[in-house]
Amino acid sequence: MGQNPTTNWRHFDFWLLGAVALLVIFGIPMIRSAIAGNIASAGADQNQLIFAVIGFVAVLVTASIDYHLWASISRGLYIGTAVVLAGLYLVGDALFGSARWFSVGPILIQPSEIAKIVLILVLADFFTRYQNRMDEPQWILRSLLMTMGIVVWVLLQPNLSTVILMLVLWFSLLWAAGLRIKHLLIFGGGGLITAAASFPLLVRFEIIKAYQLQRITNFIFPDPNATHGEAYNIQQALISIGSGGLFGQGYGHGSQVQLRFLKVRWSDFIFSAMAQEFGFIGTVLIMLILLFVIYRILRIAHMSRDTFGALIAYGVAAMLAFQTIVNIGVNLKMLPATGLTLPFISYGGSSLLSSLIGIGLVESVILRHKTLEF
């Protein structure tokens, strides 16, 4: 009996891929409706379709590659990602004041989105190698320093929401790798104290920008008479959700959406646009499909034949779950505005591509979850 994993396409999780496809297929016309004739965003649905096609090809290609390959080149992936992010910051700072994207014709590529996947692979490899030493503080600190090697360049863009997501990924994988609860609480508490203590310095040196502070202020002390800005956007989001009722006003007929009262409705606030047009029933169905996707990924993590594969799946599940919770929480005024997309639905080609690559990695794990028998 051999001990090498075999690629058996009969194990491919078609339920997972089908659920993801439903979300993407729903998202593209939803983006089209949300544009509502906005000239500046014309063609966003077509760009999303292009990224969707590329993304589903990436799912099949990534699934066909043995996921153990990524462990062997994790150091190169890490260094390459850090160099790209640093280069983007330095060049963008010199030419434009700041930059998050590379422009490829009419298409914008956001490296920090791909960096999320690289971070999952790098941390999964690290925690697999040192799983039996997770109780030793120096290895936990080393994993945090590795994470910060990517996070710091994303913070300088600035992209605070992605920074928070990356730190959540680190903490989630640390827990999944077997760190004891008491140690998790110690590190979690220490992290919160460090973040609170360093916040004034981050503001003073303008690493955290004025508009990010304004988002927090608007969340804590909302202005009911605001006619623009984040407070206004949240007000319109709540109006959109409330006016959708049980079954919604119908596709392309949401008043707040089509009259453009709701801003950033094709990305940050697409949940509100969806709620107005498809109502409570429609949004619950979408949330159930998202929950099903996360469940299938966690199932694959449980079925994985090794720790590395399980941690990859746990990382992807944590990424999608956190983005979903935060995006919906922002729309419901339960969290400050962040800019995180609703997975597979919000407009954002790089975000969609990174999510689909994550699905491809998870499929690669389930394809090889059994050993080759002779």
Side-chain angles (χ1 to χ4, degrees), residues 252-273:
H253 291 89
S255 56
Q256 305 301 116
V257 175
Q258 301 306 317
L259 296 177
R260 307 182 197 174
F261 290 109
L262 180 64
K263 307 300 181 184
V264 208
R265 55 194 172 274
W266 48 85
S267 56
D268 296 12
F269 293 102
I270 199 166
F271 179 84
S272 299

Side-chain angles (χ1 to χ4, degrees), residues 220-243:
I220 300 174
F221 306 107
D223 180 5
N225 299 315
T227 58
H228 64 280
E230 296 298 335
Y232 173 81
N233 292 342
I234 294 295
Q235 289 174 17
Q236 295 302 317
L238 293 176
I239 293 171
S240 300
I241 294 170
S243 62

Side-chain angles (χ1 to χ4, degrees), residues 80-100:
T81 301
V83 168
V84 169
L85 289 171
L88 178 63
Y89 169 73
L90 295 173
V91 173
D93 187 59
L95 298 180
F96 311 109
S98 66
R100 295 186 188 180

Side-chain angles (χ1 to χ4, degrees), residues 210-223 230-231 336:
Y211 75 89
Q212 294 171 325
L213 283 174
Q214 190 63 41
R215 287 179 173 179
I216 298 173
T217 302
N218 287 334
F219 176 75
I220 300 174
F221 306 107
D223 180 5
E230 296 298 335

Side-chain angles (χ1 to χ4, degrees), residues 198-213:
S198 61
F199 190 80
L201 291 176
L202 295 175
V203 173
R204 179 179 178 182
F205 291 101
E206 296 186 348
I207 295 175
I208 293 181
K209 303 297 182 181
Y211 75 89
Q212 294 171 325
L213 283 174

Side-chain angles (χ1 to χ4, degrees), residues 31 44 46-56 58 84-85 88 100-104 106-118 157 159 162 165 267 319-320 323 339-359:
I31 292 169
Q46 297 174 11
N47 288 340
Q48 190 81 345
L49 177 60
I50 292 172
F51 271 101
V53 172
I54 296 172
F56 279 109
V84 169
L85 289 171
L88 178 63
R100 295 186 188 180
W101 300 271
F102 285 122
S103 177
V104 183
I107 296 177
L108 298 175
I109 306 294
Q110 191 170 1
S112 61
E113 290 292 336
I114 306 301
K116 297 185 300 188
I117 300 298
V118 172
Q157 288 181 355
N159 191 344
T162 302
L165 172 56
S267 56
M319 178 183 74
L320 297 177
Q323 288 188 210
L340 285 179
T341 57
L342 187 62
F344 309 113
I345 298 175
S346 291
Y347 174 67
S350 298
S351 176
L352 176 61
L353 182 59
S354 68
S355 297
L356 289 174
I357 291 174
I359 295 299

Side-chain angles (χ1 to χ4, degrees), residues 174-341:
L174 192 61
W175 172 74
L179 189 67
R180 295 179 182 177
I181 295 295
K182 66 177 183 179
H183 292 143
L184 279 175
L185 294 175
I186 291 172
F187 277 94
L192 291 174
I193 293 172
T194 302
S198 61
F199 190 80
L201 291 176
L202 295 175
V203 173
R204 179 179 178 182
F205 291 101
E206 296 186 348
I207 295 175
I208 293 181
K209 303 297 182 181
Y211 75 89
Q212 294 171 325
L213 283 174
Q214 190 63 41
R215 287 179 173 179
I216 298 173
T217 302
N218 287 334
F219 176 75
I220 300 174
F221 306 107
D223 180 5
N225 299 315
T227 58
H228 64 280
E230 296 298 335
Y232 173 81
N233 292 342
I234 294 295
Q235 289 174 17
Q236 295 302 317
L238 293 176
I239 293 171
S240 300
I241 294 170
S243 62
L246 193 60
F247 297 104
Q249 298 178 4
Y251 177 75
H253 291 89
S255 56
Q256 305 301 116
V257 175
Q258 301 306 317
L259 296 177
R260 307 182 197 174
F261 290 109
L262 180 64
K263 307 300 181 184
V264 208
R265 55 194 172 274
W266 48 85
S267 56
D268 296 12
F269 293 102
I270 199 166
F271 179 84
S272 299
M274 181 174 67
Q276 184 168 48
E277 297 194 352
F278 295 96
F280 177 79
I281 299 298
T283 52
V284 167
L285 287 175
I286 293 298
M287 287 190 289
L288 287 175
I289 297 174
L290 282 165
L291 185 62
F292 179 75
V293 168
I294 295 167
Y295 159 73
R296 296 297 293 191
I297 296 173
L298 291 175
R299 174 179 175 272
I300 290 171
H302 179 72
M303 295 175 64
S304 174
R305 67 183 301 272
D306 57 24
T307 301
F308 182 58
L311 290 179
I312 289 175
Y314 281 127
V316 173
M319 178 183 74
L320 297 177
F322 184 76
Q323 288 188 210
T324 299
I325 292 170
V326 171
N327 182 275
I328 295 176
V330 168
N331 279 256
L332 295 174
K333 200 184 176 183
M334 298 175 67
L335 294 169
T338 61
L340 285 179
T341 57

